[in-house]
Amino acid sequence: MAEKKIQAIRGMNDLLPTDCMLWQQVEETVKRVFNSYGYNEIRTPIVEDTALFKRAVGEVTDIVEKEMYTFNDRNENESITLRPELTAGCVRAGIEHGLLYNQEQRLWYFGPAFRHERPQKGRYRQFHQFGVEVFGLTGPDIDAELILLTARLWKALGIAEHTTLELNSIGSLESRANYKQALVSYLEQHQDRLDEDCKRRLYTNPLRILDSKNADIQELLNEAPKLFEYLDAPSYEHFEGLCKLLDDNGIKYNINQRLVRGLDYYNRTVFEWVTSSLGAQGTVCGGGRYDSLVSQLGGKSTPAVGFAIGAERLILLIQSVNPELKSNNNIDIYMISSGDKTLAVAQQLAEQLRDVMPDKRIMTNYGTSNFKKQFSKADKHGAKIAIIIGENEISANKVIIKNLQSGEQFDVAQNSVAEYCMNIMD
Ligand code: ATP
Ligand code: MG
């Protein structure tokens, strides 16, 4: 019997060399923008104690109820989990290393997260998040900064015209509890119109019903009590302050009272950047304030606000906006050699070129000594320039430099190849 072919795990994608160029460019842009606001990178482990996510994300959320990759470590009674998001790990690390209490921290991260969801476009089981977490600041000014930062990022990535900002305040834990009661008693009066999902959530996580995708439920919610009517005064002021700052900075937003976000730990400000260009998986970035999470995880009470961007969705959006965008894996200079001792010279020259042009991609031909085949390999790699070394060139201490776009070629002394190339390449 033939053995089963081994394939990647469903919902976990390979990023092939042609994908990775675009990923690298996007990663660079995102990091540059994060750094430009003075934020610092933090890297935490991919696996954490399961209790961390149960406590941080919340027992009755979709993530903890049914999406986590949880297993026992070899040490049988230690339950560990592949992180379904990165905020919990950040907070855990911040507490563990004393980074949070009485301090300000502006952090960013990038890395994979894992959720056992139904794979579809923009929704995977291993995906990547870019995110920011700020600790120690309570005012709406920092909430506004996070939104300004993301707006700047969309511009830098060329997708500003394709994203809109949805904004809401979900108030304090207390005001939300009052609202929950009002919402539940309203929904109880309309039990017959609830779908299975909503019935299940009615007593576990009723706020999540607000972002139900079911049109009947949406209609039912039009008449439901409004979260805003239950907002506590300080939360309301905070929200007004944020709106004013966004207005002052010319940031457009849509106040969406149904926006509640999936994770349990948010309070006051919540926001999402959404796009209509990706179908059902339209949320590219989600975030908000989570002032109680640090103390919930055993640290001293510290205000916090953050967001996470889904990297796959971001890249899908960039590609859908620029359908002609091709990843550029081209190399700049291709070293061609044929004949006795020519390869050694080619290799040494390539090393010298890398010394003076560290950002250029310089590839040396190996394997075939046939000139025609080497030129076609140079073409295949999109090389701009070929440096050609045959036995004649060795004896004359020179090389031929050929511009593969124009076809022009020149003899250049070996000891001025580096200078010559620097002059002709921008
Ligand atoms: P959704 O409502 O789309 O399931 P979420 O509220 O579960 O999103 P968050 O936990 O806020 O998402 O994660 C932040 C961002 O990470 C999302 O806005 C999205 O861009 C991305 N994301 C979340 N889950 C996935 C996934 N399974 N695959 C790809 N990207 C994801
Ligand atoms: Mg989700």
Side-chain angles (χ1 to χ4, degrees):
M1 206 177 76
E3 279 190 71
K4 183 177 155 241
K5 197 157 94 195
I6 298 176
Q7 291 186 310
I9 307 291
R10 189 165 129 79
M12 306 206 179
N13 300 317
D14 299 309
L15 290 175
L16 300 178
T18 45
D19 306 315
C20 285
M21 262 312 166
L22 179 58
W23 275 74
Q24 281 187 18
Q25 283 168 17
V26 170
E27 286 169 35
E28 261 165 45
T29 304
V30 175
K31 288 171 190 177
R32 179 169 52 71
V33 172
F34 287 169
N35 283 320
S36 77
Y37 285 76
Y39 291 56
N40 294 317
E41 186 182 10
I42 182 167
R43 300 187 189 188
T44 61
I46 286 170
V47 207
E48 299 267 3
D49 188 333
T50 303
L52 173 66
F53 301 114
K54 286 196 175 169
R55 242 198 268 173
V57 179
E59 297 264 10
V60 295
T61 56
D62 284 352
I63 293 179
V64 172
E65 277 183 343
K66 52 185 191 202
E67 296 174 359
M68 292 207 303
Y69 283 89
T70 297
F71 49 95
N72 280 338
D73 202 347
R74 284 182 185 271
N75 175 1
E76 291 265 318
N77 44 30
E78 241 174 79
S79 175
I80 59 181
T81 293
L82 301 186
R83 63 186 182 197
E85 51 93 275
L86 280 72
T87 301
C90 262
V91 173
R92 196 248 335 118
I95 296 170
E96 199 168 318
H97 301 282
L99 304 181
L100 306 184
Y101 184 60
N102 259 341
Q103 299 178 56
E104 280 178 27
Q105 289 289 350
R106 294 163 167 85
L107 306 175
W108 67 263
Y109 60 72
F110 171 63
F114 303 82
R115 296 183 193 177
H116 197 273
E117 302 194 69
R118 193 169 68 78
Q120 52 201 293
K121 183 183 172 198
R123 190 177 295 285
Y124 312 99
R125 291 181 175 175
Q126 173 173 336
F127 61 101
H128 296 76
Q129 290 188 332
F130 294 107
V132 153
E133 315 291 355
V134 177
F135 299 96
L137 295 168
T138 52
D141 36 18
I142 185 65
D143 304 14
E145 176 168 291
L146 295 196
I147 289 169
L148 291 172
L149 184 160
T150 42
R152 178 175 296 277
L153 183 56
W154 311 147
K155 253 189 228 155
L157 294 168
I159 52 171
E161 309 299 310
H162 303 267
T163 52
T164 53
L165 176 62
E166 304 276 303
L167 191 63
N168 194 18
S169 174
I170 57 173
S172 64
L173 285 179
E174 211 176 24
S175 64
R176 218 160 1 136
N178 292 336
Y179 172 67
K180 265 187 206 173
Q181 263 182 7
L183 180 67
V184 169
S185 61
Y186 169 82
L187 292 171
E188 275 173 337
Q189 290 161 30
H190 303 276
Q191 285 271 6
D192 50 320
R193 293 175 62 187
L194 298 182
D195 60 19
E196 281 313 305
D197 233 21
C198 296
K199 278 184 185 150
R200 191 172 55 82
R201 284 175 167 157
L202 190 54
Y203 300 106
T204 57
N205 199 353
L207 284 187
R208 280 295 272 179
I209 296 176
L210 292 184
D211 65 4
S212 162
K213 305 276 189 295
N214 181 332
D216 296 336
I217 303 293
Q218 284 297 331
E219 208 185 296
L220 179 63
L221 287 168
N222 285 335
E223 305 299 316
K226 300 278 178 289
L227 189 56
F228 251 72
E229 293 155 11
Y230 289 77
L231 272 197
D232 53 297
S235 293
Y236 192 79
E237 248 170 64
H238 185 102
F239 190 68
E240 276 194 326
L242 173 59
C243 292
K244 167 111 185 19
L245 288 166
L246 294 178
D247 293 338
D248 292 347
N249 281 285
I251 303 276
K252 293 204 180 63
Y253 53 89
N254 171 32
I255 297 179
N256 175 355
Q257 296 203 21
R258 300 269 171 85
L259 181 63
V260 289
R261 315 258 324 112
L263 314 178
D264 250 8
Y265 49 60
Y266 289 104
N267 67 302
R268 292 196 176 171
T269 310
V270 292
F271 65 91
E272 285 186 356
W273 284 97
V274 299
T275 179
S276 54
S277 313
L278 291 182
Q281 271 58 249
T283 305
V284 177
C285 169
R289 205 157 249 292
Y290 51 96
D291 295 323
S292 55
L293 183 61
V294 177
S295 60
Q296 213 170 298
L297 291 177
K300 296 218 174 75
S301 178
T302 306
V305 57
F307 65 75
I309 299 169
E312 282 77 4
R313 290 187 199 176
L314 185 65
I315 285 180
L316 281 171
L317 178 56
I318 293 169
Q319 286 170 325
S320 87
V321 169
N322 312 286
E324 72 295 344
L325 189 74
K326 290 270 179 305
S327 88
N328 183 355
N329 292 56
N330 287 350
I331 66 138
D332 297 298
I333 302 179
Y334 197 81
M335 308 296 296
I336 291 178
S337 63
S338 183
D340 196 28
K341 303 210 175 86
T342 56
L343 176 58
V345 173
Q347 213 169 30
Q348 286 161 29
L349 278 176
E351 287 301 311
Q352 287 171 22
L353 289 172
R354 292 182 190 109
D355 285 341
V356 294
M357 299 189 288
D359 295 330
K360 295 294 179 203
R361 286 160 59 85
I362 300 161
M363 188 183 275
T364 305
N365 182 80
Y366 301 110
T368 177
S369 59
N370 177 312
F371 272 125
K372 210 172 147 210
K373 282 190 185 150
Q374 294 189 64
F375 275 109
S376 85
K377 285 209 266 175
D379 268 349
K380 195 176 138 238
H381 288 291
K384 298 187 189 85
I385 287 176
I387 296 183
I388 304 141
I389 308 164
E391 284 173 6
N392 292 344
E393 281 69 39
I394 295 281
S395 51
N397 264 319
K398 60 175 185 109
V399 303
I400 299 168
I401 296 187
K402 181 170 184 178
N403 180 328
L404 295 172
Q405 277 144 5
S406 67
E408 287 176 307
Q409 61 178 58
F410 301 95
D411 284 358
V412 177
Q414 274 177 27
N415 58 11
S416 40
V417 168
E419 204 190 333
Y420 184 91
C421 287
M422 281 207 294
N423 281 333
I424 57 168
M425 307 208 73
D426 41 54

